[in-house]
Amino acid sequence: MLCPCRGKLKLLVGSLSFVILFTWLYLLVGNSENGRSLLLSACLVESTEARLLERDVLASRVREVEEENRQIRLQLSQSQGLAAQPVEGNYGNQQWVASADTGPEDAENTAEERANHSECSRSPTAEKCELIHVACVCAGHNASRDVVTLVKSILFHRRNPLHFHFITDTVANQILSTLFQSWMVPSVQVSFYDADELKSEVSWIPNKHYSGIYGLMKLTLTKALPSNLSKVIVLDTDITFATDIAELWAIFRKFTEKQVIGLVENQSDWYLGNLWKNHKPWPALGRGFNTGVILLYLERLRRIGWEQMWRLTAERELMSMLSTSLADQDIFNAFIKQNPVLVHQLPCFWNVQLSDHTRSEQCYTEVSDLKVIHWNSPKKLRVKNKHVEFFRNLYLTFLEYDGNLLRRELFGCPSQASSESTTADAGGSTVPALRSGL
């Protein structure tokens, strides 16, 4: 399939055709006083038969050029016809391309996935120099190592200024602040929030997930992050980006007035309850949603009373479930089950999940351009997947990438090198932390 630039190519071909045709006609008619061709040799000038023969040769060549141009124009018109036709097929489960609520967003999501088949890369639709906010909960050495790889994959592809919001313990704070200070990447701001100040918000929830209490802290982001922050992309630590995060940020514009959360459908059968005998998961809408990648419309969440709503949901379900198995994801899904109109379903390629029981192959075998890889198995890179080598190589590329090579200016965007990043506690107070350039 040709790119949108084919229009310019067609114009160029047409212009070349006109120039070539005009040149050959000029040579046929000649430019001398006697109508002789300037390219005819002296020995042929005097011969009428020779002049006729050469004109026949030139006329034949003109016809050949015209035929070549006709074939090119025919190919262009056929390509335009193919581009106008809708792409057939879906990505395995039809639910993966439909919005959770019925409305015009269904068509938009489907069109977005279909466009992903194109060989032409889709340009980010976020405004140039628009500041993109990214939040992540990180605690301990292992999570910090994963976050460093995640951040490098984001910075490698990005074209917009970024502001990272990290909810950390003391160890992660020290590691990440030192790292960003050494990288000194332009147009990047970093804020830190003390996880200890937020533990009381979720410590009452029993959780069996290996992430422990930190796996529940994404529920507190409306309170933890600044009150004037309206939107944020929330990421797990075990994420690798393969595209510009501005494309994901731009999806906020597709939200309806009621939608407050953007999620990709869960790609395993966990919430269907059929993985093993007596498996009883938390309630979810259909296959449920994975919270490794979340678009949170903070302003709207605060407006509808998110903090009270998720607490009531958790309290109600814990009476029968006793504990969460997948941390915040169980509570998000129970909330969405009761309020499906509030969710905006993202295409599957924004969260390709590589857990042991995943069905993500139904997504990535149909989609030509994956956006986000999620190592959502406790085994991480050792997960059982027949295509794991492909995804592991992508991860290792950024694991070993030198962060100092990411120190590049964004053309056309004002430098933020003179600003200072901040560290904030849960109460919202801020104090200078690092020299920016961050």
Side-chain angles (χ1 to χ4, degrees), residues 13-115:
V13 170
S15 300
L16 289 174
S17 302
F18 177 81
V19 172
I20 293 173
L21 181 60
F22 178 84
T23 303
W24 288 119
L25 290 175
Y26 175 85
L27 294 176
L28 285 173
V29 175
N31 195 31
S32 63
E33 293 181 356
N34 297 324
R36 300 173 181 175
S37 171
L38 295 179
L39 299 181
L40 298 181
S41 59
C43 61
L44 293 176
V45 169
E46 303 300 327
S47 171
T48 302
E49 293 183 358
R51 286 201 302 272
L52 293 175
L53 177 62
E54 184 161 344
R55 287 188 180 184
D56 290 341
V57 172
L58 293 176
S60 176
R61 180 55 184 156
V62 169
R63 286 192 294 271
E64 291 177 7
V65 172
E66 288 178 339
E67 177 61 21
E68 291 176 1
N69 290 338
R70 190 185 68 81
Q71 292 294 334
I72 292 175
R73 287 193 292 270
L74 178 61
Q75 292 177 10
L76 286 173
S77 63
Q78 291 174 345
S79 299
Q80 287 176 326
L82 290 175
Q85 296 177 359
V87 180
E88 298 294 335
N90 54 42
Y91 307 108
N93 190 332
Q94 182 63 26
Q95 290 178 325
W96 290 5
V97 298
S99 180
D101 58 309
T102 303
E105 293 300 318
D106 293 339
E108 292 185 11
N109 282 341
T110 304
E112 183 176 355
E113 291 208 1
R114 287 173 176 171

Side-chain angles (χ1 to χ4, degrees), residues 106-242:
D106 293 339
E108 292 185 11
N109 282 341
T110 304
E112 183 176 355
E113 291 208 1
R114 287 173 176 171
N116 197 45
H117 281 279
S118 172
E119 296 178 2
C120 303
S121 58
R122 288 168 55 87
S123 300
T125 55
E127 293 183 7
K128 181 177 176 62
C129 302
E130 180 180 1
L131 182 61
I132 296 173
H133 293 270
V134 181
C136 189
V137 179
C138 178
H141 293 89
N142 291 336
S144 298
R145 181 178 63 248
D146 290 339
V147 165
V148 171
T149 305
L150 162 64
V151 169
K152 286 192 285 189
S153 70
I154 293 175
L155 293 177
F156 181 85
H157 297 286
R158 65 103 180 216
R159 296 291 184 274
N160 285 66
L162 296 171
H163 189 157
F164 290 99
H165 302 265
F166 294 115
I167 297 175
T168 63
D169 63 354
T170 304
V171 172
N173 188 322
Q174 182 177 3
I175 293 173
L176 295 176
S177 61
T178 302
L179 194 67
F180 275 98
Q181 190 174 27
S182 66
W183 285 353
M184 296 295 288
V185 181
S187 299
V188 175
Q189 303 174 53
V190 185
S191 296
F192 294 95
Y193 307 83
D194 189 355
D196 289 338
E197 298 293 331
L198 298 169
K199 286 182 177 180
S200 61
E201 301 291 326
V202 293
S203 59
W204 57 275
I205 305 175
N207 178 29
K208 294 181 181 179
H209 193 259
Y210 63 85
S211 60
I213 192 171
Y214 297 101
L216 296 164
M217 287 190 176
K218 284 185 283 186
L219 297 166
T220 70
L221 290 178
T222 53
K223 181 176 181 179
L225 299 179
S227 58
N228 62 347
L229 183 59
S230 63
K231 296 176 294 185
V232 68
I233 297 174
V234 186
L235 303 173
D236 277 358
T237 60
D238 50 1
I239 293 288
T240 305
F241 265 78

Side-chain angles (χ1 to χ4, degrees), residues 326-371:
L326 300 181
D328 66 271
Q329 183 167 300
D330 285 339
I331 298 177
F332 270 105
N333 275 286
F335 170 78
I336 292 171
K337 174 77 172 180
Q338 297 297 320
N339 306 276
V341 71
L342 300 179
V343 69
H344 179 100
Q345 183 167 331
L346 304 176
C348 65
F349 49 75
W350 282 114
N351 186 352
V352 178
Q353 303 148 37
L354 300 180
S355 61
D356 287 333
H357 305 287
T358 186
R359 294 178 179 269
S360 58
E361 185 176 355
Q362 297 179 19
C363 177
Y364 63 72
T365 56
E366 293 290 337
V367 181
S368 62
D369 184 19
L370 301 179
K371 308 289 188 180

